[in-house]
Amino acid sequence: MAVDYIVIVLYLAGMLAMGWWGMRRAKSKSDFLVAGRRLGPAMYSGTMAAVVLGGASTIGGVGLGYQYGLSGAWMVFTIGLGILALSLFFSARIARLKVYTVSEMLDLRYGGSAGMISGIVMWAYTLMLVVTSTIAYATIFDVLFDVPRWLAIVIGGAIVVAYSTLGGMWSITITDMVQFVVKTIGVLLILLPVAVVKAGGFSEMKAALPTSYFDPLGIGGETIFTYVLIYTFGMLIGQDIWQRVFTARNDKVARWGGTVSGVYCLLYAIGGAVIGTAAKVIYPQGLGQADEAFAQIVKDELPVGVRGLVLAAALAAVMSTSSGALIACATVANNDIWKRLRGVRPDAAPEAEHDEVKGNRMFILGLGVVAIITSIILNNVVEALTVAYNLLVAGLLVPILGGLIWKRGTGTGALASVVVGGLSVIGLMMSFGILANEPVYYGLSASLVVYVVVSLATRPTDAAVLAHWRERLAGRGAPESEPAAADPVAAATR
């Protein structure tokens, strides 16, 4: 394992070095939170794919393939569908708004009536996303170093917190691009063909497994529908995803670069399911848990050195999601909650850009420590993530998409939708159970009905607010003017 250890240690050291490099570039709020809005197609596509394809998509996707066969691809497949829908239908408008958070978009559209509550909901979602990603380090480090769970979480979490705190989105962008390359090579170009060959090829896999393993709908129609509702729609409105859209150099990069990311996610989904299906053939007696399939096949079937690279790929998947969620969580906490509590408008110009960067850096560090401690304490990761996504979709999907596509939606309707959707899903989870499908179904329905009824029953949004909203959607009237990239490194992001 010595060679594998060296590969992993070099990878982790490289992540920290990139964090230090990013610190030298993060000179303003825009640099720190959205990489100066300068990313070109290649880097935008890679980093968008990296942030959405985390440990759940990699380790969990292979586990679903082991359990259900090719239909296990549906969870990650619906993530890809969400990125495609966001990129093709909404990303251009989102990018032109030149905001930093989803709540700022709601303020612009509705006149500032729903920002604080939506910020709290989004903060809870992003924090749980950080926690669940951080817990995944325990699985990978256990295979590598056989260390206690708490120490694995501290090691992985500390590295992510360090490079995210140092350079913000610039550090995260560069590390995500490296992680995207490592993930592509390790999972799709190495592990996928090795797994299929070790299983005897597709003909042997079909002969050894039940036909249900090759049924595209074998996982069940209701499960697929729930994945679409939670993950596809969740991709449309999550702060961690929107914050990547904000990094695009222009709306064309956001649209077409994101489309490439979505297609990549679809291929990654199929690849993970095939690896899991092959693992079922290789380990017919069964494993302790389906999620162990990824680590087990890597440990048993790959040669020294290559094994380290593929485990680095799994680590890359977890780190990219964790760092993206962490900066999103800190951005929401600072801009949408803390500033409002102090009576400062989120879009107000900072007194000093240096102080603004310092403040956001402190929020990342503080919330990173909170996430690490919570990850050590928390046991049921699936329930925590389910609560987060249910709150996100039931509370925020309707007012966000409604604001983008329905002119008659009002601030009062949006606020009522957030409150009713959020409280409904909490109450329904207490009644039906956290993992039940009904809470998000009924909570989202209640949110939609309330949004439409209250909007129609209240006065339309002020004409001046809508006029300013249309100006921002057209890319005019933004409070900041981003400088064009002038140095060689920035030019490379084009």
Side-chain angles (χ1 to χ4, degrees), residues 366-439:
L367 287 170
V369 172
V370 169
I372 291 172
I373 294 172
T374 306
S375 301
I376 294 172
I377 297 171
L378 195 64
N379 289 320
N380 199 319
V381 182
V382 175
E383 289 192 358
L385 193 60
T386 300
V387 170
Y389 268 103
N390 283 353
L391 277 173
L392 176 72
V393 173
L396 293 180
L397 178 67
V398 171
I400 291 172
L401 295 189
L404 288 170
I405 64 178
W406 191 39
K407 292 189 295 183
R408 188 59 179 82
T410 67
T412 306
L415 182 60
S417 177
V418 174
V419 173
V420 170
L423 292 179
S424 295
V425 81
I426 291 172
L428 289 164
M429 282 190 291
M430 294 173 64
S431 175
F432 287 95
I434 290 176
L435 299 180
N437 293 327
E438 289 84 357

Side-chain angles (χ1 to χ4, degrees), residues 43 55 67 148 233 262 293 312 322 339 346 392 398 434 494:
M43 290 196 73
Q67 189 173 2
F233 287 133
S322 182
K339 280 188 175 182
L392 176 72
V398 171
I434 290 176
R494 299 178 182 179

